[in-house]
Amino acid sequence: MLSLSAEGILPRIDYAIFADTGWEPKAVYSHLDRIQREIAEPAGIPVLRVATGNIRKDALDPAHRFASMPLYILNKDGRPGMTRRQCTGEYKIKPIKKQVREILGYPYPERIPKGIFVEQWVGISTDEFHRAKDADVAYMHNRHPLILDMDWSRADCTSYLESRGLADTPKSSCLGCPFHGNQQWRNIRDHSPEEWADVVAFDAAIRAGNARANASGNPLLGQAFLHRSRVPLDQAPIDHVTAREWAQRQAALDTHAAGERLKELEDGVADGCSPWACRGDQQQPEQEQGDFGLTA
């Protein structure tokens, strides 16, 4: 959308906002620097980088309140579960809303008068029109130009990026996002040893829950993992199909939905982690559990 605006195909935008969790892959930061330098700045479009903190550091800091990631839990009785997902709201939506308020001239907690709002573009394509939603505050009006103005599918977007020399545009999501597919985990392991060591170390560090919860006497009643297999990441079955995945593969012969779910196990969800359409919204996790200390 930034490129389309810079080219004049879509109306000129006033700002582009990037919400930084502090733990994106290096490729994402490099790409952001490039599009800011080669596309936004020549078009006179400011790119605003906003942040609430560093999600990795915050999770391991006993003094910091941590908005939990959707970690996979193995309870003491062997039952699986997942922690509540709060990270998107805390590390992406919250800082964007704060920035929008400042742009409008009404920083929190000032009341924004009725009728004062920004038009916010959300990059959802026609493949996922059902995810196009209104904003939850009156001072932000969502618009979906890839659907309304361009009538573009994901394939159309990819073709356009290729024509602009941007075929290598990476997915934006936390380096250690539990919603990664096996292919994404392998890509980190095989092509970025430093980042792989980072996520393996984090996976081990959160095994007993987040630091603040443990320090306050609210330990995790089980163990936490980044990978859905609920084994340490460096031992997780990311190179072969698990028994559960095999069963889903057989089911995929009968249902399209099961086939799509199996594809996500390997590839992850196709889109990056948009603040307004988090990949986790497409997941169908096991029973969510919020009383394990990770949300303290």
Side-chain angles (χ1 to χ4, degrees):
M1 294 187 300
L2 173 60
S3 182
L4 289 169
S5 175
E7 281 197 275
I9 298 173
L10 288 177
R12 186 185 180 282
I13 56 175
D14 297 302
Y15 301 95
I17 301 178
F18 175 77
D20 186 4
T21 66
W23 201 26
E24 294 274 348
K26 292 179 181 178
V28 170
Y29 293 116
S30 295
H31 179 72
L32 179 61
D33 291 339
R34 180 189 174 192
I35 61 174
Q36 182 170 351
R37 180 178 63 252
E38 298 180 6
I39 297 175
E41 290 178 357
I45 300 173
V47 175
L48 308 178
R49 306 189 189 201
V50 299
T52 296
N54 181 299
I55 191 171
R56 189 191 194 285
K57 292 180 180 178
D58 294 347
L60 304 180
D61 181 1
H64 195 283
R65 176 193 172 276
F66 176 56
S68 71
M69 300 166 66
L71 303 173
Y72 295 95
I73 300 299
L74 184 63
N75 294 306
K76 290 183 177 180
D77 62 3
R79 289 184 301 111
M82 289 193 78
T83 52
R84 183 180 296 117
R85 174 172 57 85
Q86 299 175 316
C87 47
T88 302
E90 184 71 17
Y91 289 91
K92 293 197 172 185
I93 295 176
K94 182 177 178 180
I96 288 176
K97 286 181 175 179
K98 179 181 178 182
Q99 181 67 73
V100 167
R101 278 179 156 273
E102 292 176 359
I103 290 172
L104 290 174
Y106 297 92
Y108 184 82
E110 289 189 35
R111 181 179 178 276
I112 300 177
K114 185 177 181 180
I116 301 296
F117 63 90
V118 299
E119 179 179 276
Q120 174 178 249
W121 292 2
V122 182
I124 295 175
S125 60
T126 56
D127 311 70
E128 298 184 316
F129 68 91
H130 57 281
R131 298 172 71 192
K133 302 175 182 177
D134 293 331
D136 60 355
V137 290
Y139 61 87
M140 299 169 77
H141 291 187
N142 284 353
R143 183 176 178 82
H144 304 86
L146 297 180
I147 298 175
L148 297 175
D149 300 277
M150 306 302 296
D151 192 29
W152 274 8
S153 67
R154 181 176 180 81
D156 293 321
C157 295
T158 300
S159 295
Y160 172 73
L161 290 174
E162 291 174 348
S163 73
R164 293 280 282 150
L166 298 169
D168 59 349
T169 298
K171 295 179 182 179
S172 174
S173 65
C174 284
L175 188 62
C177 179
F179 291 139
H180 283 342
N182 286 340
Q183 184 181 70
Q184 291 166 287
W185 289 123
R186 288 196 302 272
N187 185 63
I188 297 172
R189 181 196 63 190
D190 298 342
H191 300 288
S192 185
E194 182 180 343
E195 291 184 323
W196 177 248
D198 184 18
V199 292
V200 167
F202 180 79
D203 175 70
I206 51 86
R207 191 75 68 238
N210 81 61
R212 175 169 175 172
N214 290 326
S216 64
N218 296 297
L220 184 69
L221 303 180
Q223 293 184 310
F225 302 87
L226 289 182
H227 193 267
R228 60 174 55 85
S229 63
R230 295 173 176 81
V231 300
L233 186 57
D234 57 355
Q235 301 172 32
I238 64 176
D239 287 307
H240 65 273
V241 180
T242 66
R244 180 182 175 191
E245 290 169 349
W246 180 255
Q248 288 179 309
R249 175 174 291 181
Q250 300 309 302
L253 297 174
D254 302 317
T255 68
H256 174 73
E260 289 299 304
R261 177 61 176 153
L262 178 63
K263 186 176 185 299
E264 287 182 9
L265 290 171
E266 173 63 15
D267 300 335
V269 178
D271 290 316
C273 191
S274 162
W276 313 107
C278 176
R279 301 189 301 167
D281 294 336
Q282 293 186 340
Q283 302 289 319
Q284 297 178 359
E286 286 120 318
Q287 184 176 3
E288 186 181 81
Q289 302 176 25
D291 55 352
F292 289 88
L294 283 166
T295 57

